[in-house]
Structures are given as C-alpha cells and as structure tokens.
Amino acid sequence: MVNFGAGTAGTGVVDQVCNAIVADSNNSTEEATNQIWCVDKPGLLMQSQSDNFTYAQTPYAIEDAEWEGSPHGNLLFVIKFVKPHVLIGTSTRPKAFTEEVVKEMAGHVERPIIFPLSNPT
C-alpha cells in the first residue's frame, strides 16, 4: 500500500490498515509496516529524516539504502517501484492522482484500490 500524505489523517489511516493486517494475518506489526509506504511533502518517509518526524510517522520510515539515488519524492516512480495494490491519498497537494498514476496502478494490478481522500484547499 502507498499512502500519499503522511500527516495526521494519513498516519491515522495507515495505522488502521497496519492493525488490520496484524489482526487478519499472523504478521507482526513490523512485518505489517513493511507493507506500507508513506509519501509526504519531501517524498518517502526515510529513516535518515526521522529527526523531523512526528511520533506517528516514525514506524513507517524505510531504510534509505533501498532508495538511494532514486526520485523517491515522485509518486509515479514510487508506484512503479513498489507496485502497490492500494493507493490512498490524504495529502493536500492537488492533482496528484494523474491519469498516468491511475494507469500505472491498473498496469500492475487487475483491480487496484484507489482512494483519493485528499482535500486540497
């Protein structure tokens, strides 16, 4: 799952998804968080940026080495790399779920789940 927007709403959503993964499988919380990628204003939540995270963002930070030199701030690139089945938008950035983003989701998943819950102002 990729969540675009890692503020209070976004981390609340991914916490619920993480809890559901743990409850419905025999995965640990750590294994569940490893199935969730959060993209915020600067890009993916990376462990090297953890000094700037809220308490809720910390569990979803990924190791930098996996993304070294890649455009991890580009939502389309993240989707191409991760190939998620679920894309949720909780960002205030308008027009993030472009036709190209939706087509990429549909290109690797027969029935992608896309929730553009964003509320751009």
Side-chain angles (χ1 to χ4, degrees):
M1 177 180 122
V2 169
N3 191 71
F4 183 68
T8 305
T11 54
V13 168
V14 296
D15 282 346
Q16 293 298 311
V17 171
C18 181
N19 291 340
I21 291 170
V22 171
D24 289 347
S25 67
N26 287 321
N27 289 344
S28 67
T29 300
E30 183 179 349
E31 290 169 323
T33 59
N34 288 336
Q35 297 177 47
I36 300 169
W37 288 262
C38 292
V39 180
D40 206 29
K41 292 172 188 163
L44 280 168
L45 297 183
M46 309 283 263
Q47 289 179 350
S48 64
Q49 305 161 341
S50 63
D51 289 347
N52 300 319
F53 291 163
T54 64
Y55 175 79
Q57 291 172 323
T58 302
Y60 303 101
I62 60 173
E63 293 185 26
D64 293 55
E66 186 178 345
W67 292 82
E68 192 172 334
S70 66
H72 62 83
N74 179 301
L75 179 61
L76 180 61
F77 181 85
V78 171
I79 291 168
K80 285 180 178 182
F81 186 83
V82 172
K83 299 192 182 328
H85 291 213
V86 179
L87 173 62
I88 298 177
T90 58
S91 171
T92 58
R93 190 162 71 182
K95 301 179 182 174
F97 286 18
T98 62
E99 182 177 348
E100 192 174 12
V101 164
V102 172
K103 284 182 176 180
E104 180 59 34
M105 285 290 296
H108 66 265
V109 178
E110 184 178 341
R111 296 182 68 168
I113 298 169
I114 303 173
F115 289 127
L117 305 176
S118 307
N119 184 19
T121 55

